[in-house]
Amino acid sequence: MTPVRRSALLECLVADRAGTSQQGILTELRRAVLDGGVPPGSPIPLAEVAEVFGVSQIPIREALKTLVGEGLVAHRRNGGYTVALLTAQELREMYIVRETLETASLTAAVHNATDTDRAAAVLANQRLEQALRDGDGTAYHRGSRQFHTALTAPSRMHRLLHMLESAWNVTEPVQSMVHVSPVDRAELHADHRAMLEAFLAGDVDRLLAVSEQHAARLNSVIATLPRDTGLLA
């Protein structure tokens, strides 16, 4: 008999961090999925997850229903819950959504940015530079999101930023930047540097132009992600 493999999700959960409240369980399940340690398609066994948290299956099921609505978890009748598995087309679509929302926020971000905001963008870029030097794809992936967030957050367009965060979350289990080549990461980061320079200079037109160039390059890179890794449906 083939042994049943333990779900990767169970290894990533930190029950002490969540407690037993409904919101705490939801937050911890979401964190585990977004951190990238649980591959798309991974099963989410209700009974075992409930055991980890020391609760019944009811709050686990309710939390998973919320994550289904967020696009992070999939559910099939009689098939249980799994970490959502995107098709290549769906992944491209989500990157288009991200690009559209980010572009809509950048003009306001430049106009509203404070010295604190600009310092946060510089720091985010420094972390990306360090990840590149270290050849750390995981750190670069996380840092890339932090960098883009640093450029868009000053817009103070809170509803739009919430939608942008949700779009980012849907793509997170794929961990795209972990799986691209070091050469591609370096080219994408050249765009980041140019975006930062325009942001700091308050040059909206230049920022939007470089952002569009970056999105085109990113879409080309995403299209080359390997299809035989199980990351995509």
Side-chain angles (χ1 to χ4, degrees), residues 188-205:
L188 288 166
H189 190 59
D191 295 335
H192 287 154
R193 284 192 292 267
M195 291 168 71
L196 177 63
E197 290 171 1
F199 180 77
L200 296 177
D203 189 338
V204 172
D205 291 340

Side-chain angles (χ1 to χ4, degrees), residues 141-153:
H141 178 86
R142 292 175 179 170
S144 179
R145 178 168 183 171
Q146 292 167 358
F147 175 78
H148 282 268
T149 298
L151 294 189
T152 56

Side-chain angles (χ1 to χ4, degrees), residues 4 14 57-58 64-65 71 75 89 93 99 103 105-106 111 124 126-127 147 149 162 201-202 205 207 224 227 233:
V4 177
V14 182
Q57 294 183 31
I58 295 174
L64 291 176
K65 286 180 180 178
H75 179 253
Q89 178 61 33
E93 288 174 2
E99 173 194 352
T103 299
S105 72
L106 288 177
H111 291 316
Q126 290 172 346
R127 290 172 176 162
F147 175 78
T149 298
H162 176 71
D205 291 340
L207 177 56
T224 68
R227 300 291 185 264

Side-chain angles (χ1 to χ4, degrees), residues 160-172:
L160 184 151
L161 293 173
H162 176 71
M163 290 187 288
L164 179 57
E165 179 184 19
S166 297
W168 270 93
N169 286 351
V170 170
T171 64
E172 280 298 83

Side-chain angles (χ1 to χ4, degrees), residues 19-66:
T20 58
S21 71
Q22 180 71 57
Q23 185 59 45
I25 290 170
L26 170 61
T27 298
E28 178 58 14
L29 284 169
R30 184 188 291 115
R31 181 206 62 77
V33 172
L34 294 179
D35 271 1
V38 188
S42 296
I44 304 176
L46 277 174
E48 292 174 69
V49 172
E51 185 177 349
V52 168
F53 288 110
V55 298
S56 74
Q57 294 183 31
I58 295 174
I60 305 302
R61 187 176 290 106
E62 290 304 310
L64 291 176
K65 286 180 180 178
T66 298

Side-chain angles (χ1 to χ4, degrees), residues 85-122:
L85 187 64
L86 299 176
T87 66
Q89 178 61 33
E90 288 169 337
L91 183 64
R92 286 194 294 271
E93 288 174 2
M94 292 313 302
Y95 271 89
I96 291 171
V97 171
R98 281 172 38 179
E99 173 194 352
T100 302
L101 292 171
E102 179 171 300
T103 299
S105 72
L106 288 177
T107 298
V110 170
H111 291 316
N112 293 338
T114 64
D115 288 343
T116 299
D117 293 324
R118 286 183 281 271
V122 170

